[in-house]
Amino acid sequence: MDSKKVIVMALNDELESAYPPLNISIGAASTGADVVLAFSRNGINILDDHYIPIPSKGKEYLANALNDFKATSIGDLLSIAVNLGVRFVVPDIDVPENKIVSELPFEKVPLKWLLNEAAAADLFVHF
């Protein structure tokens, strides 16, 4: 059986936008799917080694709720994704080289490549 291809885009780095792409990527990878997690210019901060997720205005309660719930940290979710083989990519026209501060494995790809991969994927989602 061929593995499914899943493309997930992280479009923003607010707290409520950081968890969904990671959770979906990890869930899909755990089923054996070939997963690509792409980070846009507004989502790239999630890869930053010093990223602190800040909730959007009006959603400040989320930080406390996730802490009280003992939710897995963004950093731990990134590590789990790496261990499951999720491929991290950044469209090359979207992010300047000096903006990416990460020790995580990622590659810069042409935007056209990412769009073609998304069009051919079994599932394409963005948050």
Coordinates of all heavy atoms in Angstrom, one line a residue, residues 18-105:
A18 N -0.2 27.7 16.3 CA 1.1 26.9 16.3 C 0.7 25.4 16.6 O 1.4 24.5 16.0 CB 2.0 27.4 17.4
Y19 N -0.2 25.1 17.4 CA -0.5 23.7 17.7 C -1.1 22.9 16.6 O -0.7 21.8 16.4 CB -1.3 23.6 19.0 CG -0.5 23.7 20.3 CD1 -0.3 24.9 20.9 CD2 0.0 22.6 20.9 CE1 0.5 25.0 22.1 CE2 0.8 22.6 22.0 CZ 1.0 23.8 22.6 OH 1.8 23.9 23.7
P20 N -2.2 23.4 15.9 CA -2.8 22.6 14.9 C -1.9 22.0 13.9 O -2.0 20.8 13.6 CB -3.9 23.5 14.3 CG -4.2 24.4 15.5 CD -2.9 24.7 16.1
P21 N -1.0 22.8 13.2 CA -0.2 22.1 12.2 C 0.7 21.1 12.7 O 1.0 20.1 12.1 CB 0.6 23.3 11.5 CG 0.4 24.5 12.5 CD -0.8 24.2 13.3
L22 N 1.2 21.3 13.9 CA 2.1 20.3 14.5 C 1.3 19.0 14.9 O 1.8 17.9 14.6 CB 2.8 20.9 15.8 CG 3.9 21.9 15.5 CD1 4.2 22.7 16.7 CD2 5.1 21.2 14.9
N23 N 0.1 19.2 15.5 CA -0.7 18.0 15.9 C -1.1 17.2 14.7 O -1.0 16.0 14.7 CB -1.9 18.5 16.7 CG -1.5 18.9 18.1 OD1 -0.5 18.5 18.6 ND2 -2.3 19.8 18.6
I24 N -1.5 17.9 13.6 CA -1.9 17.2 12.4 C -0.7 16.5 11.8 O -0.8 15.3 11.3 CB -2.6 18.1 11.4 CG1 -4.0 18.5 12.1 CG2 -2.8 17.5 10.1 CD1 -5.0 19.1 11.2
S25 N 0.4 17.2 11.7 CA 1.6 16.5 11.1 C 2.0 15.3 11.9 O 2.3 14.3 11.3 CB 2.8 17.6 11.1 OG 2.5 18.6 10.3
I26 N 2.0 15.4 13.2 CA 2.4 14.2 14.0 C 1.4 13.1 13.9 O 1.8 11.9 13.7 CB 2.6 14.7 15.5 CG1 3.8 15.5 15.7 CG2 2.6 13.5 16.4 CD1 3.9 16.2 17.0
G27 N 0.1 13.4 13.9 CA -0.9 12.4 13.7 C -0.8 11.7 12.4 O -0.8 10.5 12.3
A28 N -0.6 12.5 11.3 CA -0.4 11.9 10.0 C 0.8 11.0 9.9 O 0.8 9.9 9.4 CB -0.5 13.0 8.9
A29 N 1.9 11.6 10.4 CA 3.2 10.8 10.4 C 3.1 9.5 11.2 O 3.7 8.5 10.8 CB 4.3 11.7 10.9
S30 N 2.4 9.5 12.3 CA 2.3 8.3 13.1 C 1.5 7.2 12.4 O 1.6 6.1 12.7 CB 1.6 8.6 14.4 OG 0.3 9.0 14.3
T31 N 0.7 7.6 11.3 CA 0.0 6.6 10.6 C 0.8 6.1 9.4 O 0.3 5.2 8.6 CB -1.3 7.1 10.0 OG1 -1.1 8.1 9.0 CG2 -2.2 7.7 11.1
G32 N 2.0 6.6 9.2 CA 2.9 6.2 8.1 C 2.8 7.1 6.9 O 3.5 6.8 5.9
A33 N 2.1 8.2 7.0 CA 2.0 9.1 5.9 C 3.3 9.9 5.7 O 4.1 10.1 6.6 CB 0.9 10.1 6.1
D34 N 3.6 10.3 4.5 CA 4.7 11.1 4.1 C 4.3 12.6 4.3 O 3.4 13.1 3.6 CB 5.1 10.9 2.6 CG 6.2 11.8 2.1 OD1 7.0 12.3 3.0 OD2 6.3 11.9 0.9
V35 N 4.8 13.2 5.3 CA 4.3 14.5 5.8 C 5.4 15.6 5.5 O 6.5 15.5 5.9 CB 4.0 14.5 7.3 CG1 3.4 15.9 7.7 CG2 3.0 13.4 7.6
V36 N 4.9 16.7 4.9 CA 5.7 17.9 4.8 C 5.0 19.0 5.6 O 3.8 19.3 5.4 CB 5.8 18.3 3.3 CG1 6.5 19.7 3.2 CG2 6.5 17.3 2.5
L37 N 5.7 19.6 6.5 CA 5.2 20.8 7.2 C 6.0 22.0 6.8 O 7.2 22.1 6.9 CB 5.4 20.5 8.7 CG 5.0 21.7 9.7 CD1 3.6 22.1 9.4 CD2 5.2 21.2 11.1
A38 N 5.2 22.9 6.1 CA 5.8 24.1 5.6 C 5.5 25.3 6.5 O 4.4 25.4 7.0 CB 5.2 24.4 4.2
F39 N 6.4 26.2 6.6 CA 6.3 27.4 7.4 C 6.4 28.6 6.6 O 7.4 28.8 5.9 CB 7.4 27.4 8.5 CG 7.4 26.3 9.4 CD1 8.1 25.1 9.1 CD2 6.7 26.3 10.6 CE1 8.0 24.0 10.0 CE2 6.7 25.3 11.5 CZ 7.3 24.1 11.2
S40 N 5.3 29.5 6.6 CA 5.3 30.7 5.9 C 6.1 31.8 6.6 O 6.6 31.6 7.8 CB 3.9 31.2 5.7 OG 3.4 31.7 6.9
R41 N 6.2 33.0 6.1 CA 7.0 34.1 6.7 C 6.4 34.4 8.1 O 7.1 34.9 8.9 CB 7.0 35.3 5.8 CG 5.7 36.0 5.7 CD 5.9 37.3 4.8 NE 6.3 36.8 3.5 CZ 5.7 37.2 2.4 NH1 4.7 38.1 2.4 NH2 6.1 36.8 1.2
N42 N 5.1 34.2 8.3 CA 4.5 34.5 9.6 C 4.4 33.3 10.5 O 4.0 33.4 11.6 CB 3.1 35.1 9.4 CG 3.1 36.4 8.7 OD1 4.0 37.2 8.9 ND2 2.1 36.7 7.9
G43 N 4.8 32.1 10.0 CA 4.8 30.9 10.8 C 6.2 30.4 11.1 O 6.4 29.6 12.0
I44 N 7.2 31.0 10.5 CA 8.6 30.5 10.6 C 9.1 30.7 12.0 O 10.0 29.9 12.4 CB 9.5 31.3 9.6 CG1 10.9 30.6 9.6 CG2 9.7 32.7 10.0 CD1 10.9 29.3 9.0
N45 N 8.6 31.6 12.8 CA 9.1 31.7 14.2 C 8.9 30.5 15.0 O 9.6 30.3 16.0 CB 8.4 32.9 14.8 CG 8.8 34.2 14.2 OD1 9.9 34.3 13.7 ND2 8.0 35.2 14.3
I46 N 7.9 29.6 14.6 CA 7.7 28.4 15.4 C 9.0 27.6 15.4 O 9.3 26.9 16.4 CB 6.5 27.6 14.7 CG1 5.2 28.4 14.9 CG2 6.4 26.2 15.4 CD1 4.1 27.8 14.1
L47 N 9.8 27.6 14.3 CA 11.1 26.9 14.3 C 12.2 27.5 15.1 O 13.2 26.9 15.4 CB 11.5 26.8 12.8 CG 10.8 25.8 11.9 CD1 11.4 25.9 10.5 CD2 11.0 24.4 12.5
D48 N 12.0 28.8 15.5 CA 13.0 29.5 16.2 C 13.3 28.8 17.6 O 12.4 28.4 18.3 CB 12.6 30.9 16.5 CG 13.7 31.8 17.0 OD1 14.3 31.4 18.0 OD2 13.9 32.9 16.5
D49 N 14.6 28.6 17.9 CA 15.0 28.0 19.1 C 14.5 28.7 20.4 O 14.4 28.1 21.4 CB 16.5 27.9 19.2 CG 17.1 27.0 18.1 OD1 16.4 26.0 17.7 OD2 18.3 27.2 17.7
H50 N 14.2 30.0 20.2 CA 13.8 30.7 21.4 C 12.3 31.2 21.3 O 11.9 32.1 21.9 CB 14.6 32.0 21.6 CG 16.1 31.7 21.7 ND1 16.6 31.0 22.8 CD2 17.1 31.8 20.8 CE1 17.9 30.8 22.6 NE2 18.2 31.3 21.4
Y51 N 11.5 30.4 20.5 CA 10.1 30.8 20.2 C 9.3 30.6 21.5 O 9.4 29.6 22.2 CB 9.6 29.8 19.1 CG 8.1 29.9 19.0 CD1 7.5 31.1 18.5 CD2 7.3 28.9 19.3 CE1 6.1 31.1 18.3 CE2 5.9 28.9 19.2 CZ 5.3 30.1 18.7 OH 4.0 30.1 18.5
I52 N 8.6 31.7 21.8 CA 7.6 31.7 22.9 C 6.2 31.9 22.3 O 6.0 33.0 21.8 CB 8.0 32.7 24.0 CG1 9.3 32.4 24.6 CG2 6.9 32.8 25.0 CD1 9.8 33.4 25.5
P53 N 5.3 31.0 22.3 CA 4.0 31.2 21.7 C 3.2 32.2 22.5 O 3.0 32.1 23.7 CB 3.4 29.8 21.7 CG 4.1 29.1 22.8 CD 5.5 29.6 22.9
I54 N 2.8 33.3 21.8 CA 2.0 34.3 22.4 C 0.6 34.2 21.7 O 0.4 34.2 20.5 CB 2.6 35.7 22.0 CG1 4.0 35.8 22.5 CG2 1.7 36.8 22.6 CD1 4.3 35.8 23.9
P55 N -0.5 34.2 22.6 CA -1.8 34.1 22.0 C -2.2 35.4 21.4 O -1.7 36.5 21.7 CB -2.7 33.8 23.2 CG -1.9 34.1 24.4 CD -0.5 34.1 24.0
S56 N -3.2 35.3 20.4 CA -3.7 36.5 19.8 C -4.5 37.3 20.8 O -4.9 36.8 21.9 CB -4.7 36.1 18.7 OG -4.1 35.4 17.7
K57 N -4.7 38.6 20.5 CA -5.4 39.5 21.4 C -6.8 38.9 21.7 O -7.5 38.5 20.7 CB -5.5 40.9 20.8 CG -6.2 41.9 21.7 CD -6.1 43.2 21.1 CE -6.9 44.2 22.1 NZ -6.2 45.3 22.5
G58 N -7.2 38.8 22.9 CA -8.5 38.3 23.3 C -8.5 36.8 23.6 O -9.5 36.2 24.0
K59 N -7.3 36.2 23.3 CA -7.2 34.7 23.6 C -6.1 34.4 24.6 O -5.6 33.3 24.6 CB -7.0 34.0 22.3 CG -8.1 34.1 21.3 CD -8.0 33.2 20.2 CE -9.3 33.4 19.3 NZ -9.4 32.4 18.3
E60 N -5.8 35.4 25.5 CA -4.8 35.3 26.4 C -5.0 34.1 27.4 O -4.0 33.5 27.9 CB -4.6 36.6 27.2 CG -4.1 37.8 26.4 CD -5.2 38.5 25.6 OE1 -6.4 38.1 25.8 OE2 -4.8 39.4 24.9
Y61 N -6.2 33.8 27.6 CA -6.6 32.6 28.5 C -6.0 31.3 28.0 O -5.8 30.4 28.8 CB -8.1 32.5 28.7 CG -8.8 32.2 27.3 CD1 -9.0 30.8 27.0 CD2 -9.2 33.1 26.5 CE1 -9.6 30.5 25.8 CE2 -9.8 32.8 25.3 CZ -10.0 31.5 24.9 OH -10.5 31.2 23.7
L62 N -5.7 31.2 26.7 CA -5.2 29.9 26.2 C -3.9 29.5 26.8 O -3.7 28.3 27.1 CB -5.0 30.0 24.7 CG -6.3 29.9 23.9 CD1 -6.0 30.2 22.4 CD2 -7.0 28.6 24.1
A63 N -3.0 30.5 27.1 CA -1.7 30.1 27.6 C -1.9 29.5 29.0 O -1.3 28.4 29.3 CB -0.8 31.4 27.8
N64 N -2.7 30.0 29.8 CA -3.0 29.4 31.1 C -3.7 28.1 31.0 O -3.4 27.1 31.7 CB -3.8 30.3 32.0 CG -3.0 31.5 32.5 OD1 -1.8 31.5 32.5 ND2 -3.7 32.6 32.7
A65 N -4.7 28.0 30.1 CA -5.4 26.7 29.9 C -4.5 25.6 29.5 O -4.5 24.5 30.0 CB -6.5 27.0 28.9
L66 N -3.6 25.9 28.5 CA -2.7 24.9 28.0 C -1.7 24.5 29.1 O -1.4 23.3 29.3 CB -1.9 25.4 26.8 CG -2.7 25.5 25.5 CD1 -2.0 26.2 24.5 CD2 -3.2 24.1 25.1
N67 N -1.3 25.4 29.9 CA -0.4 25.1 31.1 C -1.1 24.3 32.1 O -0.6 23.3 32.6 CB 0.1 26.4 31.7 CG 1.2 26.2 32.7 OD1 2.1 25.4 32.5 ND2 1.0 26.8 33.9
D68 N -2.3 24.7 32.4 CA -3.1 23.9 33.4 C -3.4 22.5 32.9 O -3.4 21.5 33.7 CB -4.4 24.6 33.7 CG -4.2 25.9 34.5 OD1 -3.1 26.2 35.0 OD2 -5.2 26.7 34.5
F69 N -3.6 22.4 31.6 CA -3.9 21.1 31.0 C -2.6 20.2 30.8 O -2.7 19.1 30.6 CB -4.5 21.3 29.6 CG -4.9 20.0 28.9 CD1 -5.9 19.2 29.4 CD2 -4.3 19.7 27.7 CE1 -6.3 18.1 28.7 CE2 -4.7 18.5 27.0 CZ -5.7 17.7 27.6
K70 N -1.5 20.9 31.1 CA -0.2 20.2 30.9 C 0.1 19.8 29.4 O 0.5 18.7 29.2 CB 0.1 19.1 31.9 CG 0.0 19.6 33.3 CD 0.6 18.7 34.3 CE 0.4 19.0 35.7 NZ 0.2 20.3 36.1
A71 N -0.3 20.6 28.5 CA -0.2 20.3 27.1 C 1.3 20.2 26.8 O 2.1 20.9 27.3 CB -0.8 21.4 26.2
T72 N 1.6 19.4 25.8 CA 3.0 19.2 25.3 C 3.4 20.6 24.8 O 2.7 21.3 24.1 CB 3.0 18.1 24.2 OG1 2.5 16.9 24.8 CG2 4.4 17.9 23.8
S73 N 4.7 20.9 25.0 CA 5.2 22.2 24.5 C 5.4 22.1 23.0 O 5.6 21.1 22.4 CB 6.6 22.5 25.2 OG 7.6 21.7 24.7
I74 N 5.5 23.3 22.4 CA 5.8 23.4 21.0 C 7.1 22.8 20.7 O 7.3 22.0 19.7 CB 5.7 24.9 20.5 CG1 4.3 25.5 20.7 CG2 6.2 25.0 19.1 CD1 3.2 24.9 19.9
G75 N 8.1 23.1 21.5 CA 9.4 22.5 21.3 C 9.4 21.0 21.3 O 10.1 20.3 20.5
D76 N 8.7 20.4 22.2 CA 8.6 18.9 22.3 C 7.8 18.4 21.1 O 8.2 17.3 20.6 CB 7.9 18.5 23.6 CG 8.8 18.7 24.8 OD1 10.0 18.8 24.7 OD2 8.2 18.6 25.9
L77 N 6.8 19.1 20.7 CA 6.0 18.7 19.5 C 6.9 18.7 18.2 O 6.9 17.8 17.4 CB 4.8 19.5 19.2 CG 3.7 19.3 20.2 CD1 2.5 20.3 20.0 CD2 3.1 17.9 20.2
L78 N 7.8 19.7 18.1 CA 8.7 19.8 17.0 C 9.7 18.6 17.0 O 9.9 18.0 16.0 CB 9.5 21.1 17.0 CG 8.7 22.3 16.6 CD1 9.4 23.6 17.1 CD2 8.4 22.4 15.1
S79 N 10.2 18.2 18.2 CA 11.1 17.1 18.3 C 10.4 15.8 18.0 O 10.9 14.9 17.3 CB 11.6 17.0 19.8 OG 12.4 18.1 20.1
I80 N 9.1 15.6 18.4 CA 8.4 14.4 18.1 C 8.2 14.3 16.5 O 8.4 13.3 15.9 CB 7.0 14.4 18.8 CG1 7.2 14.3 20.3 CG2 6.1 13.3 18.2 CD1 6.0 14.6 21.1
A81 N 7.8 15.5 15.9 CA 7.7 15.5 14.5 C 8.9 15.1 13.8 O 8.9 14.3 12.8 CB 7.2 16.9 14.0
V82 N 10.1 15.6 14.2 CA 11.4 15.3 13.6 C 11.6 13.8 13.7 O 12.0 13.1 12.8 CB 12.5 16.1 14.2 CG1 13.9 15.5 13.8 CG2 12.4 17.5 13.8
N83 N 11.3 13.2 14.9 CA 11.6 11.8 15.2 C 10.6 10.9 14.3 O 11.0 9.8 14.0 CB 11.4 11.5 16.6 CG 12.5 12.0 17.5 OD1 13.6 12.3 17.0 ND2 12.3 12.3 18.7
L84 N 9.5 11.4 14.0 CA 8.5 10.7 13.1 C 8.8 10.8 11.6 O 8.1 10.3 10.8 CB 7.1 11.1 13.5 CG 6.5 10.6 14.8 CD1 5.2 11.2 15.1 CD2 6.5 9.0 14.8
G85 N 9.8 11.7 11.3 CA 10.1 11.8 9.9 C 9.4 13.0 9.2 O 9.4 13.0 7.9
V86 N 8.7 13.9 9.9 CA 8.1 15.0 9.3 C 9.2 15.9 8.7 O 10.2 16.2 9.3 CB 7.3 15.8 10.3 CG1 6.7 17.1 9.6 CG2 6.1 14.9 10.8
R87 N 9.0 16.2 7.4 CA 9.9 17.1 6.7 C 9.5 18.5 6.8 O 8.4 18.9 6.4 CB 9.9 16.6 5.2 CG 10.9 17.3 4.3 CD 10.8 16.7 2.9 NE 11.5 17.5 2.0 CZ 11.3 17.3 0.7 NH1 10.5 16.4 0.2 NH2 12.0 18.0 -0.2
F88 N 10.4 19.4 7.4 CA 10.2 20.8 7.5 C 10.7 21.5 6.3 O 11.9 21.4 6.0 CB 10.8 21.3 8.8 CG 10.3 20.8 10.1 CD1 11.2 20.8 11.2 CD2 9.1 20.2 10.2 CE1 10.7 20.3 12.4 CE2 8.6 19.7 11.4 CZ 9.4 19.7 12.5
V89 N 9.9 22.4 5.7 CA 10.3 23.2 4.6 C 9.9 24.6 4.8 O 8.9 24.9 5.5 CB 9.8 22.6 3.2 CG1 10.2 21.2 3.0 CG2 8.3 22.8 3.1
V90 N 10.6 25.5 4.1 CA 10.3 26.9 4.1 C 10.4 27.4 2.6 O 11.4 27.2 2.0 CB 11.4 27.7 5.0 CG1 11.1 29.2 4.9 CG2 11.4 27.2 6.4
P91 N 9.3 28.0 2.1 CA 9.4 28.5 0.7 C 10.5 29.6 0.6 O 10.6 30.5 1.5 CB 8.0 29.2 0.5 CG 7.1 28.5 1.5 CD 8.0 28.2 2.7
D92 N 11.4 29.4 -0.3 CA 12.6 30.3 -0.4 C 12.2 31.8 -0.6 O 13.0 32.6 -0.2 CB 13.5 29.8 -1.5 CG 13.0 29.7 -2.9 OD1 11.8 30.1 -3.1 OD2 13.7 29.3 -3.8
I93 N 11.1 32.1 -1.3 CA 10.8 33.5 -1.5 C 10.1 34.1 -0.3 O 9.9 35.3 -0.2 CB 9.9 33.7 -2.7 CG1 8.6 33.1 -2.5 CG2 10.6 33.2 -4.0 CD1 7.5 33.5 -3.5
D94 N 9.7 33.3 0.7 CA 8.9 33.8 1.8 C 9.7 34.3 3.0 O 9.3 35.1 3.7 CB 8.0 32.6 2.3 CG 6.6 33.1 2.5 OD1 6.3 34.2 2.0 OD2 5.8 32.3 3.0
V95 N 10.9 33.7 3.2 CA 11.7 34.0 4.4 C 13.1 34.4 4.1 O 13.8 33.6 3.5 CB 11.6 32.8 5.4 CG1 12.3 33.1 6.6 CG2 10.1 32.4 5.6
P96 N 13.6 35.5 4.6 CA 15.0 35.8 4.4 C 15.9 34.9 5.2 O 15.5 34.4 6.3 CB 15.1 37.3 4.9 CG 13.8 37.7 5.4 CD 12.8 36.6 5.2
E97 N 17.0 34.6 4.7 CA 18.0 33.6 5.4 C 18.2 34.0 6.8 O 18.3 33.1 7.7 CB 19.3 33.6 4.6 CG 20.2 32.4 4.9 CD 19.6 31.1 4.5 OE1 19.0 31.0 3.3 OE2 19.6 30.1 5.2
N98 N 18.4 35.3 7.1 CA 18.8 35.7 8.5 C 17.6 35.6 9.5 O 17.8 35.8 10.7 CB 19.3 37.1 8.5 CG 18.4 38.1 8.0 OD1 17.3 37.8 7.5 ND2 18.8 39.4 8.1
K99 N 16.4 35.3 9.0 CA 15.2 35.2 9.9 C 15.1 33.9 10.5 O 14.4 33.7 11.6 CB 14.0 35.6 9.1 CG 12.7 35.6 10.1 CD 11.6 36.3 9.5 CE 10.5 36.2 10.5 NZ 9.5 37.1 10.4
I100 N 15.7 32.9 10.0 CA 15.6 31.5 10.5 C 16.7 31.2 11.5 O 17.8 31.2 11.1 CB 15.6 30.5 9.3 CG1 14.5 30.8 8.3 CG2 15.4 29.1 9.8 CD1 14.6 30.1 7.0
V101 N 16.3 31.0 12.7 CA 17.2 30.7 13.8 C 16.8 29.4 14.4 O 16.0 29.3 15.3 CB 17.2 31.8 14.9 CG1 18.2 31.5 16.0 CG2 17.5 33.1 14.3
S102 N 17.3 28.3 13.8 CA 16.8 27.0 14.3 C 17.9 25.9 14.1 O 18.6 26.0 13.2 CB 15.6 26.6 13.5 OG 15.1 25.3 13.9
E103 N 17.9 25.0 15.1 CA 18.8 23.9 15.0 C 18.1 22.7 14.4 O 18.6 21.6 14.2 CB 19.4 23.5 16.3 CG 20.4 24.6 16.8 CD 21.0 24.2 18.1 OE1 21.0 23.0 18.5 OE2 21.5 25.1 18.8
L104 N 16.8 22.8 14.2 CA 15.9 21.8 13.6 C 16.2 21.6 12.1 O 16.6 22.6 11.4 CB 14.5 22.1 13.8 CG 14.0 22.1 15.2 CD1 12.6 22.7 15.3 CD2 14.0 20.7 15.8
P105 N 16.1 20.4 11.6 CA 16.4 20.2 10.2 C 15.3 20.8 9.3 O 14.1 20.4 9.5 CB 16.5 18.7 10.1 CG 15.6 18.2 11.2 CD 15.8 19.1 12.3

